Amino acid sequence: MKPETTTAAVEDAGEAEIAIAGTDLAHVVDFYWLSLSKFQNLLEDIEGADHRLEYLKSLRYQFIVCLQEMDGILTGGVRRVGTLHMLSYALQMGVGFLGMSGPQLAAAVRLHDELEYAELQDCLLRLGKTMIARLPGAIPAAQGGQGQREVLRAMRVWSAAAKEMGEDLSFLASRLREL
């Protein structure tokens, strides 16, 4: 039986923010870092796929893996799943922070449907942008001069919060170099 869930699964989850409470500061910062760097860049790649359907299909897999990485950071499961297994793990276990089972995730990204380019692009962009909109706070765009200023501002806020809480966010130095 084919799951009924589509992109509407995230949209129908309500206007409520995605819950990230109860997670330590380092995991929250790492989650937001992945959201503003890798996930935002992935959405830009999807938007600019230039009618190359096979490329867009490969981006769909990266989209799923990125969601799994983000979920793993929030749940601490990222260390248990190797990079090569993230796609299959996500499709089996789902993405908890979105409240989606594996079959619901597959349906939401229309994994088993033969889609035209525009349909697939619209599906992934709607799902990604809806997820970003449901996150608490603003996710700065990492690209361009203004985006880089916003990222640096976010890092200053995170650093100040970490100092107050006695947390170590030294991993951000390597993330900044990656950006």
Side-chain angles (χ1 to χ4, degrees), residues 21-126:
T23 304
D24 65 52
L25 181 63
H27 283 110
V28 170
V29 168
D30 205 19
F31 175 85
Y32 273 91
W33 183 263
L34 193 58
S35 299
L36 71 85
S37 60
K38 187 173 183 177
F39 195 74
Q40 291 273 33
N41 290 341
L42 189 54
L43 291 177
E44 288 178 14
D45 288 348
I46 290 167
E47 208 161 20
D50 198 30
H51 297 282
R52 295 175 289 168
L53 183 59
E54 293 307 312
Y55 175 59
L56 190 58
K57 286 179 180 179
S58 72
L59 291 174
R60 173 172 47 191
Y61 295 122
Q62 291 178 36
F63 185 93
I64 295 168
V65 167
C66 190
L67 290 176
Q68 173 54 42
E69 282 182 86
M70 294 165 76
D71 191 55
I73 288 168
L74 287 182
T75 63
V78 75
R79 304 295 180 250
R80 294 190 311 243
V81 181
T83 304
L84 296 176
H85 302 287
M86 285 186 157
L87 177 63
S88 59
Y89 187 80
L91 293 173
Q92 180 180 5
M93 302 304 293
V95 180
F97 80 95
L98 292 178
M100 292 178 141
S101 68
Q104 288 172 323
L105 176 61
V109 298
R110 314 265 314 264
L111 189 62
H112 304 297
D113 298 337
E114 286 297 320
L115 300 174
E116 297 294 320
Y117 173 86
E119 292 175 298
L120 179 56
Q121 184 185 45
D122 181 60
C123 166
L124 296 175
L125 288 174
R126 279 193 8 231

Side-chain angles (χ1 to χ4, degrees), residues 6 106 113 121 146 164:
T6 62
D113 298 337
Q121 184 185 45
Q146 179 62 30
E164 279 185 36

